[in-house]
């Protein structure tokens, strides 16, 4: 197992960014000998962002708890924890998508979190009903389209992607991707399995090419005229608006639609966290997850990812002003996405959505 202590790495990142903040400068001037760690926290994270290293560093500074973290894909972390069994050193599991969090819970790798702070700050439908995980940031799965070829009213419903008007015009990523599985999980709940499967079959009939690539690939394909519509998580689009001149030129050829504004609202999901079933430092784990719902924690979770802070009043990351100022989002309890996951994959398989 490869562990990382983020403090030294984060300091290198800060040094590269310029002069230290006044708070940092004052601390360095005093030159106080480092205190003994107040404890240890082991984080298993399926996220891979430099801002997360800064997040761990800030938590260390404020609490004295030493953070060690392991970053890998969610599937790899899940298998590692299964192999480690009762001896797993993991305290916190940090991952994107309620469907992924459900997999850890279903495998018995999480335990209920008892926290009045989280119950107050995180809306109920963003929390596992059994208390095994809580959402921390939001992401919306929306439709990206070519405004030169498509009008907004043609893409104001997920059902529109199955319209004959889009024959040969739809780009998608693989059905095994958790974002698509979770969307199908909601469609099953909202429409019933039969209607959801009919939708999937019609979307497959509209494919411009076999499913491939990630969400950014779909945006690039729409911009290049390879297709006119695709499904993406909002933050991939927002990141491109903040990227290189070439990336900004690409994304400006596209627009976003937030579907279902006249019904249940756009499909919403989360990045979330849970306490590992055999966490050796349970109290520190809960303290860390609570800290992630503070203004500072919310900012660091979203500043690079361009997800939406889940806690009311938290600072919005740069670029989110490109999204509609007010949109309706689904309030379906997110545990339903995981519970419907197996059926969702079976539907995609029968529909020929590889």
């Amino acid at each position: 197992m490869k562990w990382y202590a983020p403090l030294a790495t984060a300091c290198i990142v800060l040094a590269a960014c310029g002069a230290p903040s006044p708070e940092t400068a004052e601390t360095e001037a005093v030159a106080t000998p480092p205190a003994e760690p107040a404890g240890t926290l082991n984080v298993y994270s399926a996220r891979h962002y430099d801002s997360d290293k800064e997040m761990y560093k800030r938590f260390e500074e404020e609490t004295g708890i030493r953070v060690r973290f392991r970053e890998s894909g969610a599937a790899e972390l899940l298998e590692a924890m299964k192999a480690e069994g009762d001896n797993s050193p993991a305290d916190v599991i940090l991952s994107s998508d309620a469907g992924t969090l459900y997999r850890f819970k279903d495998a018995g790798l999480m335990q209920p979190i008892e926290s009045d702070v989280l119950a107050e700050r995180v809306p109920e439908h963003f929390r596992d009903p059994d208390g095994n995980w809580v959402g921390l940031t939001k992401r919306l799965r929306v439709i990206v389209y070519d405004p030169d070829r498509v009008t907004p009213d043609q893409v104001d419903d997920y059902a529109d992607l199955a319209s004959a008007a889009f024959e040969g015009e739809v780009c998608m990523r693989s059905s095994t991707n958790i974002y698509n599985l979770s969307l199908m999980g909601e469609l099953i709940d909202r429409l019933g399995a039969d209607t959801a499967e009919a939708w999937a079959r019609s979307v497959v009939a509209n494919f411009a090419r076999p499913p491939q690539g990630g969400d950014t690939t779909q945006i690039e394909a729409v911009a290049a005229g390879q297709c006119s519509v695709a499904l993406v998580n909002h933050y991939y689009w927002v990141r491109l608006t903040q990227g290189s001149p070439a990336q900004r030129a690409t994304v400006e050829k596209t627009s976003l639609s937030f579907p279902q504004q006249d019904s249940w609202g756009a499909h919403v999901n989360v990045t979330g966290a849970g306490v590992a079933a055999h966490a050796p430092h349970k109290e520190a784990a809960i303290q860390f997850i609570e800290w992630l719902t503070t203004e500072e924690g919310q900012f660091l979770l979203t500043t690079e990812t361009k997800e939406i802070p889940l806690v009311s009043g938290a600072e919005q990351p740069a670029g989110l002003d490109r999204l509609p100022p007010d949109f309706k989002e689904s309030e379906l309890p997110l545990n339903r996405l995981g519970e419907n996951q197996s059926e969702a994959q079976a539907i995609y398989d029968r529909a020929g959505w590889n």
Side-chain angles (χ1 to χ4, degrees), residues 10-278:
C11 287
I12 293 171
V13 172
L14 287 175
C17 294
S21 66
E23 292 82 0
T24 304
E26 182 178 351
T27 301
E28 292 175 347
V30 173
T32 303
E36 288 297 318
T40 302
L41 179 71
N42 299 322
V43 179
Y44 276 31
S45 176
R47 287 165 54 100
H48 312 277
Y49 300 100
D50 288 340
S51 54
D52 282 11
K53 297 175 178 63
E54 174 66 8
M55 181 173 74
Y56 301 138
K57 174 180 178 291
R58 297 276 188 92
F59 179 75
E60 280 190 349
E61 290 175 343
E62 293 182 24
T63 65
I65 297 172
R66 179 174 180 244
V67 179
R68 300 193 303 170
F69 62 95
R70 178 181 184 179
E71 292 183 344
S72 189
E76 290 77 14
L77 292 175
L78 189 147
E79 291 305 316
M81 291 184 67
K82 286 182 179 179
E84 291 162 352
D86 294 357
N87 295 318
S88 175
D91 293 309
V92 172
I93 301 165
L94 184 60
S95 188
S96 61
D97 201 285
T100 297
L101 294 164
Y102 174 85
R103 293 175 182 177
F104 284 94
K105 172 187 172 182
D106 192 51
L109 299 175
M110 289 180 170
Q111 62 175 291
I113 305 169
E114 296 181 5
S115 168
D116 292 339
V117 170
L118 295 175
E120 178 182 351
R121 293 177 181 170
V122 181
E124 184 176 3
H125 65 282
F126 289 124
R127 290 183 268 125
D128 173 52
D130 297 321
N132 285 264
W133 55 262
V134 296
L136 298 169
T137 65
K138 296 189 292 187
R139 65 263 303 280
L140 283 297
R141 193 138 187 86
V142 297
I143 298 174
V144 59
Y145 66 95
D146 181 346
D148 291 336
R149 302 162 64 188
V150 178
T151 58
D153 63 294
Q154 291 181 287
V155 284
D156 59 7
D157 194 304
Y158 293 110
D160 291 332
L161 297 175
S163 169
F166 288 126
E167 183 178 359
E169 293 292 336
V170 177
C171 284
M172 289 289 180
R173 65 189 296 173
S174 170
S175 68
T176 60
N177 174 256
I178 192 64
Y179 308 151
N180 283 341
L181 284 171
S182 289
L183 174 61
M184 176 57 75
E186 174 150 8
L187 295 180
I188 291 170
D189 210 85
R190 298 287 191 182
L191 306 174
D194 290 344
T195 301
E197 182 167 341
W199 174 84
R201 290 182 182 276
S202 295
V203 172
V204 169
N206 286 343
F207 280 172
R209 63 183 187 186
Q212 58 190 266
D215 280 16
T216 300
T217 307
Q218 313 315 313
I219 298 169
E220 292 170 343
V222 171
Q226 298 172 14
C227 47
S228 60
V229 291
L231 281 172
V232 298
N233 284 353
H234 81 273
Y235 52 86
Y236 290 98
W237 191 89
V238 174
R239 286 180 201 168
L240 292 178
T241 69
Q242 305 292 295
S244 68
Q247 289 173 325
R248 294 197 296 271
T250 293
V251 78
E252 293 304 336
K253 296 177 181 178
T254 70
S255 296
L256 291 186
S257 169
F258 286 67
Q260 313 305 137
Q261 295 304 290
D262 294 329
S263 55
W264 63 75
H267 173 74
V268 67
N269 212 311
V270 294
T271 285
V275 176
H278 304 289

Side-chain angles (χ1 to χ4, degrees), residues 55 291-302:
M55 181 173 74
W291 184 85
L292 292 177
T293 67
T294 65
E295 288 189 15
E296 184 176 23
Q298 289 283 285
F299 176 76
L300 290 169
L301 277 169
T302 61

